[in-house]
Amino acid sequence: MNSESITKLFKHFDAFLMATLMFALLIGLFVLYSASGESMGPVYKQLINIGVAFFLMWIVTNISPSDLQRLALPLYLVGVLLLVLVEFFGTTSHGAQRWLNLGIMKIQPSEIMRIAMPMMVAWYLSKQDGKLTAKHYFFGGLLLILPVGLIMMQPDLGTSLLITASGFYVLFLAGLSLRFLLGSSIFLLAMSPVFWSMLHDYQRTRIEILLDPTTDPLGAGYHTIQSMIAIGSGGAAGKGWMNGTQTQLEFLPERTTDFIFAVFGEEFGLLGNLMLLVMFLLIIFRGLMIASEADSGFSRLLAGSITLTFFTYAFVNMGMVSGILPIVGVPLPLISYGGTSMVTLCISFGILMSIQSDKKLVAR
Amino acid sequence: MRAELRNHQYEQSRFKIRLVICIVAVLVLFGILATRFYYLQVSQHQHYKTLAERNRIALLPIVPTRGLIYDRNGDELATNFFSYILEIAPAKPAEIEKTINQLSAIVEISAYDRKRFKKLRAETKRFKSVPIRTNLNDDEAAKFAVNHFRFPNVELKSRLFRNYPFSSSGAHFVGYIGRINDRDVKKLTKNEKLSNYKGSDHIGKSGIESFYEEQLHGTTGFQQIEIDNNGRPVRTLTTNPATAGESVTLSVDMNLQQVAEDAFGERRGALVALDPKTGEVLTYLSKPSYDLNLFVGGIDHENWNRLNNSIDRPLINRPIRGLYPAASTFKPFIAMAGLENNLRKPPYRILDKGFYSLPNSKHRYRDWRKTGHGYVDITRAIIISCDTFFYGLAVELGIKRLAAFVSHFGFGKKTGIDLPGEKSGLLPTPEWKKRRYKKPWYAGDTVIVGIGQGYTLVTPMQLAQATATLANDGVSMKPRFAIKFTKPTGEEVRLKPIVQDKTVLAQENIDIVRNAMKRVTLPGGTARMVGSGAPYTVAGKTGTAQVVGIKQNENYDAKTVSDRNLDHALFVAYAPADDPKIALAIVVENGEHGGSTAGPIARKVFDYYLLGKKPPKKKVKPTERVGQTTVQDRLIPQPHRHQIQSNRAN
């Protein structure tokens, strides 16, 4: 195989995006090595995860946006069907029913929805030829609510919030009335005392602990307190790679997955954190650029939503680890250990690259 | 075409405006994050640095003292006691090995102790000490105290253990605590109680210990301590004390319990006695029993296999999980059903020739007396326990009407007693049979329900509850053990009796049945020996439940049947008959005749409860238990945080 055919094989890849992704993943591997107590086991496993995810990303880059458009409805319907099946036949782990055992493998239908949701809403809205009325936004909202409701029943609050966000971004980018948005936010804000009074006592204490973790330092508050200590003690320059005491003395819970950012913050300090923010910003800007240059309505909306959802994951994770947002189970994209979210993430980046590459073809 | 193009352009420009809004939002939100990082890592850096680097703060849970369980006289059923243990502070493996070897010269350390220590060390957090020896006696503790200076990283601690002074007496309702396992963790997580169990190693597994776990456990406190680089505690910063669990007082009278157990002797079976006016459980017996103390901290294989594989099934909680045919003890309730439906009202009588046949059928449902009883009215039918009378009554009532009526007395449903794992028995209906066996209901099925046989199954608890309801003129009180909770502050909460089901029954019908039951214990009745010579009146009903089926034209011969296949003896009764203070149900497995086997047990219980005949008191003192069984001595201790050290520090 000569160099030209290799180039051809990866012709749909976006060089800038690939470079930033690889850099972020590399950082992730280093942090993972430190967080898992200097053991190579998780690092090897994560490398396999990345390999599988990149392979799937490569496949997706070879699907043109028009084919993706055709896939939107079937994928969405399959996703909803699987979510319903989970409700009845799903296996329970950690108290939530999220997995579906297909005999040969276990799948998590809510992950399919992370891709299918923005595709479906984007397909539906772009189909209307730019003549969008309130009716269309309303129906788009319905497409959003049904699967999100099913995921909330599992219960998986983090994922359902983020899938809601991915669908909402499509509606917003398509031009959902700002006046409507403002109006409904004010309405919800005004109604919040009513919702509060409808909650059970245990639900209220849960929210109170989210707002003030020190009230339950052994239970729900423990994570937040320990991760804030980790980040804060890191200081401006950090304690250095593999020198975080919070991490190495195992005070930090879930330090390879949802709370890996606390490890990063402890060992690399404010400088590291700002660098990570900048890197995420580069990825986000590149994604939004692809969205703004895309030539079909579907591609635009989809690329925009994927990028903003990526931003939301990063923001929510760093926000909860640094103690300004309540703890919902959301991993830090590209850095946290775990195969499922890595695969979903890379597939969505594959879609971005496919959209970018399609534009290049048209321009030619 | 042009309009479309313009539309397209408009769409694109609107999209771009929206993108700009998003970019601004992204920058603002990342800006907030950056500010937050600055706040944590620069402004508050010193604060967090103090917390994390120089002084590592550990939060140690303080396990609350578990509440006690008392009987109605204030006798302790479950207590805590202190015992000494030796703990080794974290250090390098080689150093620990050396310490253990030196230590074994002073106190005995077995291979088992070493194995357990290794296992515990592997699963314990770095800054926690791990026990090497538990349950030291006073001599051993003193011996170590003298040599303490040689072992700077070994600590002598006193910890709280659970003890059941009555050991096997009342074991089935007191229940036991055991080490928290994965299933418990799952349940606690689901109920959002897991954080209250940080540091707790034990949880109620059965009986009252499990049912009132929430009250008994208490609230876990926590202590912020400073630890040095080796993970050793330096000093205590703040202490948020634990709140001890509430103590539970039960309605059971352990003196009465002893009387009942002695009367039962070596026989297998169950006895439940209730106060019909309040639903309070006075005695609750399941025979054979087992020593509760074996279970604290995890039972060893030897004892577990012995109990679990025993043919006598000591682990079965017979009063709420044993299912028996109600047999003839069902008859008073069928009689009530008949009278309330205006069937068989006196002076109606039947001529009993010794059998009953369904119309157009030659099959004979035989009476227990081959020759029959002659003319029998409803009162005499109960006194002599006439089967023929009730065969016919059941058929005339029909299974649906019968089942619906007797369910008011609690048959076929849980009584709601405050113990986990109660079974609901079985009150068969045609729908149930179709579901269960996919077969239609035959008339013959109804016939034998009339004498409490066939598919009908009851628990001794249900029988006692139904008898108490009858004794209380149809007002069913919710049966309950707990009568009082005592908070650690001394504040007491008394539980009020709860009316469970208030079936309105005609007083004249109740009087007929209760008068007949009174005559059961008089000369001529099936339980005449229960009443003979008693200074109070007793109302009762005997029952004999078949264990093996007897074929048509075959006689039951006790001599040819092996011990385990002998009939179960049943007896329900209350006394005094006109002002009932105690109602009970007794099942003696393979005891053959209700009147002669179960009856005398009832008499002894009544005699004590109503006349106060004192029995000899037998109790196992907690201190006697130490060193009693070698297996028990080696159980893993419960880390109730009652350390000498922390007490001194405060």
Side-chain angles (χ1 to χ4, degrees):
Chain A
M1 198 185 269
N2 57 29
S3 67
E4 198 180 318
S5 64
I6 292 177
T7 322
K8 216 170 181 183
L9 206 55
F10 295 105
K11 64 180 174 188
H12 299 293
F13 274 57
D14 182 80
F16 184 84
L17 213 45
M18 275 313 281
T20 40
L21 287 186
M22 302 267 242
F23 187 57
L25 288 170
L26 197 65
I27 293 174
L29 288 173
F30 273 94
V31 184
L32 179 62
Y33 179 69
S34 170
S36 53
E38 294 163 39
S39 93
M40 281 307 283
V43 176
Y44 287 139
K45 279 191 199 152
Q46 183 76 338
L47 275 169
I48 293 170
N49 289 338
I50 293 172
V52 172
F54 268 33
F55 176 70
L56 291 168
M57 175 161 85
W58 173 74
I59 291 177
V60 174
T61 54
N62 284 300
I63 305 173
S64 73
S66 52
D67 286 337
L68 283 174
Q69 203 162 350
R70 258 173 298 222
L71 272 172
L73 183 60
L75 197 63
Y76 177 84
L77 291 177
V78 167
V80 171
L81 181 74
L82 289 176
L83 279 176
V84 172
L85 287 178
V86 162
E87 207 45 54
F88 294 106
F89 309 108
T91 47
T92 310
S93 109
H94 291 89
Q97 201 163 347
R98 294 174 191 172
W99 300 86
L100 200 59
N101 201 338
L102 293 184
I104 41 169
M105 59 172 188
K106 279 208 265 181
I107 59 163
Q108 205 175 346
S110 56
E111 289 295 320
I112 295 180
M113 228 49 211
R114 279 175 55 182
I115 306 285
M117 174 63 76
M119 275 172 72
M120 178 67 195
V121 183
W123 169 76
Y124 172 73
L125 292 182
S126 61
K127 205 170 58 124
Q128 314 303 332
D129 256 355
K131 296 180 211 62
L132 290 172
T133 61
K135 189 187 84 186
H136 297 121
Y137 291 114
F138 177 74
F139 193 73
L142 277 187
L143 288 174
L144 187 57
I145 287 168
L146 175 71
V148 166
L150 286 168
I151 296 167
M152 277 182 94
M153 276 159 67
Q154 291 180 356
D156 187 346
L157 192 65
T159 308
S160 53
L161 280 176
L162 284 155
I163 290 177
T164 310
S166 72
F168 169 78
Y169 290 141
V170 179
L171 293 173
F172 178 78
L173 291 172
L176 182 61
S177 153
L178 289 176
R179 216 177 299 159
F180 171 78
L181 270 177
L182 197 69
S184 46
S185 331
I186 291 172
F187 174 76
L188 283 178
L189 217 60
M191 289 297 283
S192 55
V194 181
F195 292 137
W196 183 255
S197 69
M198 274 159 57
L199 291 176
H200 289 291
D201 275 345
Y202 78 91
Q203 288 171 321
R204 281 189 209 169
T205 42
R206 222 183 193 184
I207 293 172
E208 278 160 8
I209 290 168
L210 293 179
L211 296 177
D212 182 9
T214 53
T215 53
D216 188 17
L218 290 173
Y222 181 80
H223 286 53
T224 315
I225 292 170
Q226 293 303 334
S227 68
M228 272 162 62
I229 293 176
I231 295 174
S233 65
K239 297 174 189 171
W241 187 45
M242 300 198 298
N243 278 329
T245 50
Q246 283 287 104
T247 309
Q248 306 304 333
L249 285 176
E250 305 186 357
F251 280 97
L252 261 182
E254 292 175 52
R255 54 193 173 276
T256 60
T257 52
D258 288 2
F259 281 79
I260 198 164
F261 177 64
V263 178
F264 183 82
E266 182 180 26
E267 300 190 346
F268 298 100
L270 182 63
L271 282 175
N273 285 356
L274 293 180
M275 194 199 69
L276 196 64
L277 281 185
V278 168
M279 212 184 48
F280 280 139
L281 273 180
L282 288 177
I283 295 173
I284 292 162
F285 281 155
R286 180 65 188 159
L288 293 181
M289 218 163 106
I290 292 173
S292 101
E293 288 171 357
D295 58 351
S296 82
F298 172 77
S299 299
R300 260 202 302 276
L301 295 176
L302 186 56
S305 166
I306 284 174
T307 310
L308 291 171
T309 309
F310 171 79
F311 156 76
T312 310
Y313 268 80
F315 176 74
V316 170
N317 179 276
M318 290 190 279
M320 78 181 193
V321 174
S322 61
I324 53 171
L325 288 178
I327 292 181
V328 285
V330 172
L332 184 62
L334 301 172
I335 311 288
S336 281
Y337 174 72
T340 320
S341 65
M342 182 66 71
V343 164
T344 319
L345 200 63
C346 284
I347 289 176
S348 65
F349 279 120
I351 294 175
L352 269 186
M353 292 182 196
S354 152
I355 290 170
Q356 163 68 5
S357 146
D358 188 57
K359 189 212 73 190
K360 275 194 288 193
L361 288 177
V362 172
R364 222 176 282 157
Chain B
M1 186 69 202
R2 234 180 130 167
E4 222 169 81
L5 202 64
R6 198 180 302 146
N7 200 9
H8 190 68
Q9 277 171 344
Y10 167 71
E11 204 186 321
Q12 225 165 5
S13 69
R14 187 178 56 186
F15 181 78
K16 289 209 167 131
I17 294 169
R18 290 290 161 115
L19 270 189
V20 170
I21 297 176
C22 290
I23 289 170
V24 171
V26 166
L27 287 174
V28 167
L29 290 174
F30 267 14
I32 291 174
L33 279 183
T35 317
R36 175 68 177 176
F37 298 154
Y38 182 84
Y39 171 79
L40 289 177
Q41 298 185 303
V42 177
S43 309
Q44 296 288 310
H45 174 56
Q46 276 310 321
H47 170 67
Y48 287 114
K49 198 178 156 191
T50 328
L51 287 182
E53 229 175 87
R54 208 181 61 213
N55 306 310
R56 275 166 227 122
I57 310 299
L59 268 173
L60 280 190
I62 308 172
V63 176
T65 309
R66 195 172 174 85
L68 307 184
I69 303 175
Y70 298 100
D71 85 338
R72 71 184 307 132
N73 307 319
D75 277 345
E76 290 166 338
L77 302 179
T79 62
N80 304 319
F81 74 99
F82 286 99
S83 172
Y84 294 108
I85 63 165
L86 280 181
E87 281 190 355
I88 300 186
K92 290 196 180 99
E95 205 176 306
I96 286 179
E97 194 56 38
K98 214 177 96 194
T99 308
I100 294 177
N101 288 336
Q102 288 174 346
L103 206 57
S104 63
I106 296 170
V107 293
E108 191 201 324
I109 291 168
S110 67
Y112 180 92
D113 288 327
R114 285 171 191 261
K115 223 164 84 188
R116 181 196 53 204
F117 177 80
K118 221 170 156 188
K119 182 171 161 257
L120 281 176
R121 228 173 79 81
E123 55 195 36
T124 309
K125 272 195 184 171
R126 243 178 230 228
F127 52 86
K128 264 192 174 170
S129 300
V130 173
I132 175 76
R133 254 302 300 275
T134 63
N135 232 342
L136 279 81
N137 59 34
D138 287 351
D139 284 348
E140 287 175 314
K143 216 164 153 192
F144 173 79
V146 175
N147 289 289
H148 198 166
F149 67 94
R150 287 170 53 198
F151 304 98
N153 57 344
V154 179
E155 275 175 300
L156 182 67
K157 287 177 179 175
S158 142
R159 279 197 175 166
L160 222 43
F161 287 76
R162 195 71 159 171
N163 180 48
Y164 301 103
F166 285 91
S167 66
S168 67
S169 186
H172 291 90
F173 67 84
V174 174
Y176 51 83
I177 60 169
R179 288 185 78 81
I180 295 174
N181 60 26
D182 292 349
R183 246 200 355 247
D184 298 320
V185 169
K186 230 175 230 175
K187 214 169 119 193
L188 289 170
T189 313
K190 207 175 134 205
N191 300 334
E192 306 197 1
K193 297 230 168 72
L194 194 63
S195 71
N196 196 29
Y197 281 78
K198 284 264 162 76
S200 298
D201 273 11
H202 288 72
I203 191 166
K205 295 279 184 180
S206 71
I208 293 293
E209 288 272 33
S210 163
F211 195 89
Y212 291 113
E213 170 64 27
E214 200 179 328
Q215 289 86 343
L216 288 165
H217 181 268
T219 311
T220 300
F222 47 87
Q223 204 171 29
Q224 283 192 310
I225 57 160
E226 234 182 79
I227 30 179
D228 65 14
N229 291 329
N230 296 323
R232 281 183 219 169
V234 178
R235 67 188 164 112
T236 306
L237 297 179
T238 60
T239 304
N240 199 334
T243 311
E246 296 175 26
S247 292
V248 187
T249 302
L250 307 183
S251 52
V252 171
D253 180 339
M254 282 313 277
N255 295 328
L256 186 63
Q257 181 84 16
Q258 297 278 320
V259 172
E261 284 182 10
D262 292 346
F264 234 87
E266 294 303 303
R267 284 180 285 239
R268 280 166 285 115
L271 181 151
V272 178
L274 302 169
D275 180 335
K277 295 196 174 77
T278 59
E280 290 175 8
V281 182
L282 302 172
T283 296
Y284 180 100
L285 181 66
S286 184
K287 278 271 198 178
S289 192
Y290 54 89
D291 183 356
L292 287 172
N293 294 306
L294 291 175
F295 282 84
V296 182
I299 189 166
D300 57 290
H301 285 290
E302 221 172 289
N303 276 317
W304 170 253
N305 287 337
R306 179 175 58 78
L307 291 172
N308 196 37
N309 299 336
S310 165
I311 188 175
D312 290 337
R313 316 293 300 276
L315 296 175
I316 300 272
N317 198 343
R318 285 176 164 82
I320 55 167
R321 293 186 63 82
L323 295 173
Y324 304 90
S328 298
T329 58
F330 214 41
K331 286 174 183 168
F333 308 102
I334 307 276
M336 277 308 299
L339 292 168
E340 288 285 312
N341 284 292
N342 278 317
L343 297 170
R344 307 290 187 272
K345 280 223 167 187
Y348 185 102
R349 25 177 226 172
I350 63 153
L351 177 60
D352 172 20
K353 290 180 191 157
F355 63 88
Y356 170 84
S357 286
L358 283 161
N360 309 321
S361 163
K362 278 190 185 143
H363 185 95
R364 290 179 168 189
Y365 294 92
R366 294 177 302 176
D367 194 279
W368 62 271
R369 187 168 171 179
K370 253 185 164 178
T371 53
H373 300 279
Y375 283 102
V376 179
D377 69 354
I378 197 158
T379 304
R380 200 163 160 252
I382 291 175
I383 298 170
I384 58 171
S385 199
C386 173
D387 291 339
T388 313
F389 185 93
F390 286 99
Y391 288 142
L393 175 54
V395 171
E396 203 166 322
L397 274 167
I399 188 64
K400 284 184 184 167
R401 204 147 52 138
L402 190 158
F405 183 84
V406 297
S407 80
H408 286 308
F409 286 94
F411 293 111
K413 55 192 180 195
K414 291 176 183 171
T415 64
I417 182 76
D418 45 359
L419 289 181
E422 186 186 8
K423 287 199 176 179
S424 53
L426 180 61
L427 200 52
T429 57
E431 291 78 34
W432 167 83
K433 192 178 174 190
K434 192 142 209 181
R435 241 187 0 254
R436 177 73 176 76
Y437 292 108
K438 309 219 166 7
K439 276 186 192 158
W441 185 269
Y442 302 116
D445 292 334
T446 309
V447 176
I448 50 175
V449 169
I451 60 159
Q453 296 281 359
Y455 297 114
T456 322
L457 288 174
V458 300
T459 64
M461 189 71 220
Q462 282 176 327
L463 268 185
Q465 167 70 355
T467 309
T469 303
L470 195 61
N472 202 29
D473 288 339
V475 181
S476 150
M477 306 303 294
K478 188 184 170 86
R480 197 159 53 185
F481 278 99
I483 49 175
K484 188 174 78 181
F485 291 100
T486 312
K487 298 196 169 144
T489 53
E491 188 192 332
E492 292 186 349
V493 180
R494 279 173 193 282
L495 302 181
K496 289 197 181 76
I498 301 169
V499 177
Q500 189 148 269
D501 181 317
K502 207 171 176 178
T503 315
V504 181
L505 302 172
Q507 193 60 44
E508 55 166 344
N509 294 335
I510 292 176
D511 289 343
I512 291 171
V513 173
R514 287 186 51 176
N515 273 324
M517 284 175 75
K518 201 156 99 182
R519 286 170 62 185
V520 167
T521 65
L522 297 176
T526 51
R528 49 198 166 274
M529 51 210 298
V530 176
S532 95
Y536 49 86
T537 50
V538 180
K541 182 73 197 77
T542 57
T544 306
Q546 284 174 15
V547 175
V548 278
I550 301 161
K551 292 195 193 86
Q552 196 85 25
N553 306 319
E554 198 181 86
N555 283 319
Y556 176 79
D557 183 1
K559 285 178 212 113
T560 63
V561 181
S562 90
D563 278 2
R564 301 269 160 186
N565 289 334
L566 292 176
D567 289 346
H568 293 331
L570 280 77
F571 188 57
V572 298
Y574 57 85
D578 298 317
D579 178 26
K581 292 193 165 57
I582 177 170
L584 55 72
I586 301 175
V587 176
V588 180
E589 287 178 12
N590 315 118
E592 294 199 81
H593 301 294
S596 55
T597 318
I601 300 174
R603 174 66 184 271
K604 282 182 189 150
V605 169
F606 288 154
D607 272 358
Y608 176 76
Y609 193 70
L610 298 172
L611 307 176
K613 284 193 187 164
K614 280 252 153 65
K617 247 193 177 183
K618 299 189 286 190
K619 249 196 245 180
V620 187
K621 281 269 150 49
T623 44
E624 291 168 20
R625 200 188 64 81
V626 176
Q628 196 178 308
T629 59
T630 49
V631 189
Q632 239 170 276
D633 287 346
R634 291 173 186 169
L635 292 179
I636 295 161
Q638 28 257 274
H640 285 283
R641 271 213 154 254
H642 244 275
Q643 309 167 6
I644 296 172
Q645 195 203 20
S646 69
N647 286 348
R648 225 185 275 143
N650 298 326

